[in-house]
Amino acid sequence: GVSYALSDKWLNHWYMKQVVTGFLANSHATYQAMTQTFPEIIPYPSLTLNNGIALPDPRPVLQTGIQGRIGMVARLSTEKGIPRALETLNILKSKSVPAELWIIGEGPERVPLENQALKMGLGDSVQFLGFREDVLELLATCQVFLFTPHFGEGTSLALIEAMAVGLPCLAFDTPAMNEVIIDQQTGYLLEDGDVEGMATKIELLLSQKDLCIQLGEKAQGRAYAEFSLKNAADKVTHFLQSL
């Protein structure tokens, strides 16, 4: 489920050769990372199955969101790269771009992240909302969605949720992100760590509502066409029956 391989140890190789009979990965990047370390799985039946979610029916009506609100859904932990989101917001504020960041999620890094936001002078511009049940409703109040993981992220459920409500999504081009976001069609992919470029793209979207709506419509269409839970269930059922 993550796009980096397990450790190259004899026990893992034994497991792959003697126990595994099929391989299910949640992205092409995940599968490729595993085959680099464990080429013995290549002959096995395999399926790349992007995560699916139970999409709202009917589709949410596209909204323009509250001006300047950036949404984010992530566990508050190191691998999610939330300090990079804070850096991006800080750049926007330095340009006097009216922007705020709403972060939905909980985790062990909450206090350090809150302290970092305060030290950067972002206390009034960042909301740590914790774990919430009404994620889709909160995302619908945003204009854009930001995702900044460091490494190893497979298909992100949070990205798909944001796409489902019609948000253009921005992420760093780490493995598997380009399997969800189509650059310049459903959002933007930036070189990993390019917070300056990320801020520039967000500024563009916040200033052009028509562009936000255009990308958001395509994002929602892609979510419903490619990432529904029913589609995922149908694919895995067919795969298991074929073994």
Side-chain angles (χ1 to χ4, degrees):
V2 290
S3 57
Y4 56 88
L6 298 176
S7 58
D8 189 11
K9 300 298 178 86
W10 72 266
L11 183 59
N12 286 336
H13 282 281
W14 176 88
Y15 183 84
M16 295 297 176
K17 291 178 181 177
Q18 302 298 325
V19 180
V20 173
T21 59
F23 201 83
L24 180 64
N26 72 348
S27 70
H28 294 294
T30 298
Y31 183 72
Q32 290 169 0
M34 292 299 292
T35 57
Q36 287 174 6
T37 307
F38 305 107
E40 52 266 43
I41 72 174
I42 293 175
Y44 299 156
S46 63
L47 172 67
T48 296
L49 182 74
N50 296 118
N51 291 333
I53 68 170
L55 296 169
D57 185 19
R59 294 188 188 189
V61 176
L62 291 178
Q63 303 178 42
T64 56
I66 294 174
Q67 179 65 35
R69 181 172 294 173
I70 304 163
M72 191 172 189
V73 180
R75 175 173 164 76
L76 305 184
S77 53
T78 303
E79 71 275 8
K80 297 302 182 182
I82 295 171
R84 307 202 290 185
L86 297 179
E87 291 176 32
T88 301
L89 179 64
N90 196 38
I91 293 169
L92 289 169
K93 302 300 284 186
S94 71
K95 295 180 176 180
S96 299
V97 177
E100 61 177 353
L101 179 63
W102 277 26
I103 304 175
I104 304 168
E106 194 55 84
E109 294 297 308
R110 176 163 185 158
V111 172
L113 289 169
E114 288 177 331
N115 289 337
Q116 181 178 351
L118 289 173
K119 288 179 181 178
M120 297 173 76
L122 300 174
D124 294 335
S125 301
V126 181
Q127 295 289 330
F128 291 91
L129 301 177
F131 178 80
R132 297 289 295 255
E133 295 284 356
D134 55 342
V135 173
L136 293 181
E137 289 81 358
L138 289 171
L139 288 178
T141 70
C142 299
Q143 275 194 290
V144 299
F145 185 82
L146 177 60
F147 195 59
T148 57
H150 277 295
F151 56 84
E153 192 77 26
T155 306
S156 165
L157 294 177
L159 277 177
I160 298 169
E161 288 176 330
M163 290 165 61
V165 298
L167 295 186
C169 297
L170 301 99
F172 293 121
D173 195 4
T174 52
M177 291 302 98
N178 59 11
E179 296 179 41
V180 182
I181 298 172
I182 300 178
D183 188 38
Q184 301 184 61
Q185 293 187 37
T186 65
Y188 294 106
L189 292 168
L190 282 299
E191 182 179 349
D192 192 23
D194 183 9
V195 291
E196 291 280 354
M198 183 69 78
T200 297
K201 290 298 186 185
I202 292 177
E203 182 180 7
L204 173 68
L205 288 170
L206 296 184
S207 65
Q208 297 190 24
K209 289 187 178 180
D210 289 345
L211 179 60
C212 261
I213 292 172
Q214 177 187 336
L215 296 181
E217 286 178 344
K218 291 182 178 179
Q220 188 182 68
R222 178 165 171 75
Y224 275 81
E226 300 293 335
F227 300 110
S228 74
L229 189 59
K230 182 181 184 307
N231 285 348
D234 289 344
K235 288 178 181 178
V236 76
T237 298
H238 184 268
F239 174 67
L240 293 174
Q241 290 174 340
S242 69
L243 295 177

